[in-house]
Amino acid sequence: MITRVQVVASSPALLSEVYKTNMGEREELAAALEAAMPDAGLAPRLMAAQITAVITTLQETFFQRLFTGVPLEEAERLLQEEVEVAFDLLEHGLSPDDGDKS
């Protein structure tokens, strides 16, 4: 799996296809949300963008850990924890305590 990801990451053409796929998934999610909330204005598109950004960030973080030598089991455990945090933030939003602690 790591070898495949390294091949994709090192190829501009393959990275472009990954980007197109991600954009397509975001558009599909936006369309589904728009159908479910036809009078919501821009909200469904914004929701789709936030959800797909979270998923992309979680994936990138997971693979970066593997590249840097974190054992698969540890990377999976961290991913599970981070998925919970990420979707909790999506569901409940950021609170003032989540920002700068200065």
Side-chain angles (χ1 to χ4, degrees):
M1 176 173 64
I2 293 174
T3 302
R4 289 183 194 145
V5 173
Q6 288 172 328
V7 168
V8 171
S10 65
S11 168
L14 293 176
L15 277 178
S16 175
E17 289 303 313
V18 169
Y19 177 73
K20 287 178 191 174
T21 299
N22 289 345
M23 292 294 295
E25 290 172 354
R26 185 175 86 190
E27 291 301 316
E28 287 179 30
L29 179 56
L33 291 169
E34 287 170 338
M37 302 180 287
D39 299 322
L42 186 60
R45 296 191 70 71
L46 294 172
M47 292 168 63
Q50 290 174 350
I51 293 166
T52 56
V54 164
I55 293 168
T56 299
T57 301
L58 289 167
Q59 289 171 336
E60 290 171 350
T61 302
F62 174 76
F63 287 117
Q64 185 60 36
R65 284 191 177 114
L66 295 178
F67 289 148
T68 60
V70 174
L72 178 61
E73 295 79 18
E74 176 70 5
E76 288 174 338
R77 184 188 64 75
L78 291 168
L79 177 62
Q80 289 173 356
E81 292 173 7
E82 292 162 347
V83 165
E84 293 299 322
V85 170
F87 283 91
D88 185 61
L89 288 171
L90 281 173
E91 181 179 2
H92 301 291
L94 298 173
S95 72
D97 294 334
D98 294 330
D100 187 11
K101 304 279 186 201
S102 57

